[in-house]
Amino acid sequence: MVRRAQAVTPLSREIARRIRSAGPLPVAEYMALALTDPEHGYYTTRDPLGAAGDFVTAPEISQMFGEMIGAWCAVAWQYAGAPHRIALVELGPGRGTLMADMLRAAAALPPFRAALDIHLVETSPALRAAQRAALGGATAAWHEAPETLPPGPMLLVANEFFDALPIRQYQRTGGAWRERLVGLDESSGALRFALASAPAAEAAGFPPALAAAPEGAIVERCPAAEAVIHDIAARIARDGGAALIVDYGPMETAPGDSFQAVKAHGYADALAAPGEADLTAHVDFAGLAARARAAGAAAFGPVPQGAFLKRLGIARRLEKLCAGAEPAQADGLRAGYDRLIAEDGMGTLFKALGIAHASLGTPAGFEE
Ligand code: SAH
């Protein structure tokens, strides 16, 4: 196999400097630097979305995605007893398209729209500016992290946020789990994967589905995602509301190396260009659902995105939009619909996980 040469980026120089002075860094530390370093991080420095960027997300494909999620929130608000104030929170709102589409859908139910206080959790200054523009005049508050969200009932949504949180990786060698690190190749000076020499003490807490993996296997843990889910679920258990997490990953917790870079709509080497490619990993839905339950909330799913959107009535929404559209517009709407629900694509790859206060019952789209 021919390995593509690594690009020297401002961040790869900085990472190499750190490795030379303090030794190899855990994959999670590398991922956090590459994505959210305040100076050179991938998300800090650009808007990566859209045809001219590196990847396209569901809200950027079709307005119907945000409209269905807006309707989901309206139903959850009603199940919660229609409180006269509720926080509508989005984690990692990208260009703000999902929030703008949700708010347009919410406007169809004026008492719901009037109850909403909008909160956006976003680290990227570039994307915060895009979000402000997308929201027009709507009032919103921005946060660096979920910890500063105000107390009180909330409806929270996150699309393709959890896959960007830093993962730790471990490889089973010689009968023990060792953490996977990013170090330097001695001859070329390029970044390369390495393993910690000492076994990882935290492996004692691996769930059975990971702990049983054979020699050579790689497993992933995402302490950052677990902490965020714990915080959200504990708030929901205390103050009421619900959360909807849409992302990609398997139905069940499983071993495997899902760490990957995405650049210009294709896969790239995760170590090739830190700060200039998106880095992602699969989301462990079953693990996050277990965390949410442990924090006192109810958890539902995951349900494949296609099935979830159909249960929410996306086909009816498509017909309604097409009925009032020019033929070319209707073709665009149908193409977007097909992509969101595709059995051999986003419709199965992506999944929805629901979290709710125990008194809410089963949120829309998660019925058996
Ligand atoms: N939800 C959007 C964008 C997904 S890209 C969409 O579906 O189009 C990931 C988003 O999460 C970006 O807005 C990125 O800046 C943000 N993000 C990534 N890591 C983050 C972190 N640790 N804290 C807060 N926001 C983060």
Side-chain angles (χ1 to χ4, degrees), residues 42-43 46-50 55-60 90-100 119-135 142 157-161 164:
Y42 176 73
Y43 283 113
R46 76 200 68 210
D47 169 1
L49 291 146
F55 58 95
V56 179
T57 58
E60 302 297 332
E90 185 175 355
L91 306 182
R95 286 181 171 170
T97 308
L98 172 57
M99 184 54 82
H119 293 271
L120 305 173
V121 177
E122 175 62 69
T123 43
S124 164
L127 290 172
R128 280 188 182 199
Q131 291 154 20
R132 196 170 283 115
L135 293 187
W142 275 265
V157 303
N159 184 62
E160 289 211 50
F161 170 77

Side-chain angles (χ1 to χ4, degrees), residues 176-187:
W177 290 102
R178 290 187 169 78
E179 181 154 20
R180 211 168 175 218
L181 310 170
V182 175
L184 292 176
D185 186 273
E186 274 173 27
S187 54

